[in-house]
Amino acid sequence: MKHSLLMSLLLPTVIFSVTPCHAAKVKAYVNRFSVSVAENREELKGSLQTLLMSRLNSDEIQAVDKQADADIIIDGSYIVFGGVFSLDGLIKSSSGQFIDRIFIQGDSQAELIPAVSDMARALRRSLGKWDPSLALKVEEKPATVSEKLSPAKARKEPAAVAKPAALGVSPVAARQQPAEKPWESHRLPESLNGIAIGRVNGDRGVELFTSSERYLRYYLKGKMLQFVTAATVAPEEKIVGVDTADLDRDGVVEIYLSVIRGGVPASQVYQVENNQLKRIAADIPYLLRGIANPGKELKMYAQKVTATGSLQGDLFELVKMGENFTAENPQKLPLFANLYNFVRFKGAKGEQNVVVGHPDGYLLVYAPDGKQLWKSRDKFGGSEELSCAPGSGSSSTCNLARYQRFIVTAAGDIVAPRNMGMKGGGNGTSVRSSIMLLSWDGHSMKEKWRSAQSQSYLADYSLEERAGELLTIEVEPVADSSGERGSRVVARKLK
């Protein structure tokens, strides 16, 4: 960023935003930022520090010039990956106690100044959690004069009206952001990788099953999320997903756990019995996924892992007969499709087309004869890459197509997840996630609805269609002081 441009953006911001806060409860000191770019590095270190200090000032927080006078210390960093940047902040007390870690991401340099304002608001929310007496005073506030006059925002808002849909095929629907606030659970342990819905038990709530690498957990979701019980797999095993179905139609839901042992599938099946998770089958040599074909009951599908560690070959239907499970009815899949990245839907003439997530993140639509009908212009990202390299233990990895669940609603629309940005494993993430509702018009996918964007990693989701509710697993973007990234269940109304 050129010196003159940076100062022209900063000066009016500082003039309009800095106000005395002698009555502030918390005194905050912002260290000079660490900056990853080479151009104007030293200038940016001090400029970002000054800008964040001005934006932090409020009735509750006073930005101070000396670290010795501060109650809290904020360390900021500015990191650029290609055209995408991330502003990261670490908050700690003056004694060194960890408080929180936040990040704000932007797509271009024009968004840098507004992103600092967003960073200040996120920091105020974190301080509200740290000091409950501040919680009612650190809600979102109207934009300051400088925010209203910010050149970046002034250019950005009109552009959003004319911007084409993320799919590159139609304008974004007017109701892109849901009006009501989504329901959120309390923080759950670990980075979860799967969620599945069981029975609806009246006043007790909806049965939810979540999975992490070692644990299957059973919850009841009502006004709050109530933990019931858990089951664990062996140390040499790794869970990669969870689904539910009632394959024998006896009214008892089975929980299907996709498990890898030594790089090969060894999946398991559970049932709830007396509020406990009872294992009824093990060592199923397939990975499993529940998929509902258009107008039909949900079925459980299975696919083997090849000797090279990839999901290829025929797709099978898992059939339950008494206590036994067999893989029957082999089916061919179109190019790039595997167990974890496709779903069928009805076309205008009743034909069963197929949506497939391309390994590079694009969406593809195929006709029943395998002919490609459409490809998205934009990438949808994906979720996890499955760990399944043969013979190398549960921590091994291989390059499978993205683990990207698609769901077809009763109305024939396609629910598609979107994870964009960079996933940083245990060291944190820079990611934006959302869920979209798409409709096929015979030629291309049209966007009907999109959830509000989240800065958490979208690991998996499920649809409770009777309530019109999407239940997602969202993983915290960074680890806490213990090195653990927790997760939350978030419920949104599907518009």
Side-chain angles (χ1 to χ4, degrees), residues 142-335:
T144 63
V145 175
S146 59
E147 286 177 311
K148 293 175 182 176
L149 298 179
S150 165
K153 280 189 177 285
R155 287 193 300 270
K156 182 178 178 182
E157 289 171 6
V161 176
K163 185 179 178 181
L167 294 174
V169 294
S170 65
V172 174
R175 55 195 178 106
Q176 185 175 17
Q177 301 295 336
E180 60 185 285
K181 184 178 180 181
W183 176 94
E184 288 190 12
S185 73
H186 59 281
R187 184 180 185 273
L188 304 176
E190 301 185 281
S191 296
L192 302 180
N193 60 22
I195 183 170
I197 297 172
R199 298 169 297 180
V200 179
N201 288 333
D203 294 340
R204 294 190 67 208
V206 179
E207 291 181 332
L208 289 187
F209 303 94
T210 69
S211 61
S212 60
E213 290 189 358
R214 290 287 314 284
Y215 290 94
L216 169 65
R217 292 183 173 91
Y218 170 32
Y219 294 92
L220 289 173
K221 176 190 172 292
K223 292 183 179 179
M224 301 182 67
L225 195 64
Q226 176 187 349
F227 173 74
V228 181
T229 189
T232 184
V233 297
E236 66 274 12
E237 296 176 333
K238 182 175 183 178
I239 302 170
V240 297
V242 61
D243 281 275
T244 54
D246 180 9
L247 294 190
D248 54 8
R249 307 290 183 261
D250 64 352
V252 179
V253 172
E254 304 99 36
I255 304 105
Y256 293 85
L257 210 57
S258 289
V259 176
I260 290 169
R261 184 198 306 130
V264 297
S267 296
Q268 304 175 9
V269 185
Y270 290 78
Q271 284 183 344
V272 174
E273 188 174 294
N274 297 322
N275 284 335
Q276 298 298 314
L277 290 167
K278 178 184 177 182
R279 192 172 72 180
I280 61 173
D283 296 326
I284 297 174
Y286 298 89
L287 294 181
L288 309 174
R289 169 55 60 94
I291 302 172
N293 290 323
K296 297 183 179 179
E297 294 281 348
L298 184 142
K299 295 182 179 181
M300 197 61 52
Y301 289 94
Q303 195 171 25
K304 285 197 170 184
V305 174
T306 68
T308 58
S310 61
L311 276 167
Q312 293 178 3
D314 289 343
L315 187 76
F316 294 89
E317 180 183 342
L318 194 70
V319 176
K320 181 177 187 289
M321 296 294 292
E323 297 181 353
N324 299 316
F325 292 86
T326 57
E328 302 177 3
N329 306 323
Q331 305 170 29
K332 301 295 182 183
L333 291 175
L335 186 63

Side-chain angles (χ1 to χ4, degrees), residues 19 21-32 49-75 90-94 99 119-120 123-124 126-128 130 134 138:
T19 56
C21 295
H22 299 298
K25 286 188 176 182
V26 175
K27 295 181 179 180
Y29 178 78
V30 180
N31 277 316
R32 283 167 61 86
Q49 175 194 33
T50 301
L51 184 56
L52 182 58
M53 289 174 67
S54 71
R55 295 302 177 96
L56 274 176
N57 270 320
S58 65
D59 293 338
E60 297 79 32
I61 303 170
Q62 178 184 354
V64 296
D65 295 326
K66 296 181 181 179
Q67 185 168 331
D69 297 334
D71 301 310
I72 62 167
I73 312 296
I74 299 169
D75 294 324
L90 171 65
I91 318 170
K92 56 189 177 183
S93 68
S94 57
I99 296 176
M119 185 180 191
L123 289 167
R124 288 201 294 269
S126 292
L127 291 175
W130 173 64
L134 303 176
V138 295

Side-chain angles (χ1 to χ4, degrees), residues 345-358:
F345 69 97
K346 283 186 178 180
K349 298 179 181 179
E351 71 276 17
Q352 287 202 0
N353 296 328
V354 184
V355 175
V356 175
H358 189 279

Side-chain angles (χ1 to χ4, degrees), residues 327-372:
E328 302 177 3
N329 306 323
Q331 305 170 29
K332 301 295 182 183
L333 291 175
L335 186 63
F336 302 118
N338 65 55
L339 175 70
Y340 287 105
N341 72 345
F342 89 100
V343 73
R344 296 183 177 93
F345 69 97
K346 283 186 178 180
K349 298 179 181 179
E351 71 276 17
Q352 287 202 0
N353 296 328
V354 184
V355 175
V356 175
H358 189 279
D360 291 335
Y362 299 99
L363 293 191
L364 306 173
V365 173
Y366 290 98
D369 62 3
K371 178 183 177 182
Q372 183 178 311

Side-chain angles (χ1 to χ4, degrees), residues 68-86:
D69 297 334
D71 301 310
I72 62 167
I73 312 296
I74 299 169
D75 294 324
S77 64
Y78 171 60
I79 304 169
V80 178
F81 300 97
V84 179
F85 70 82
S86 180

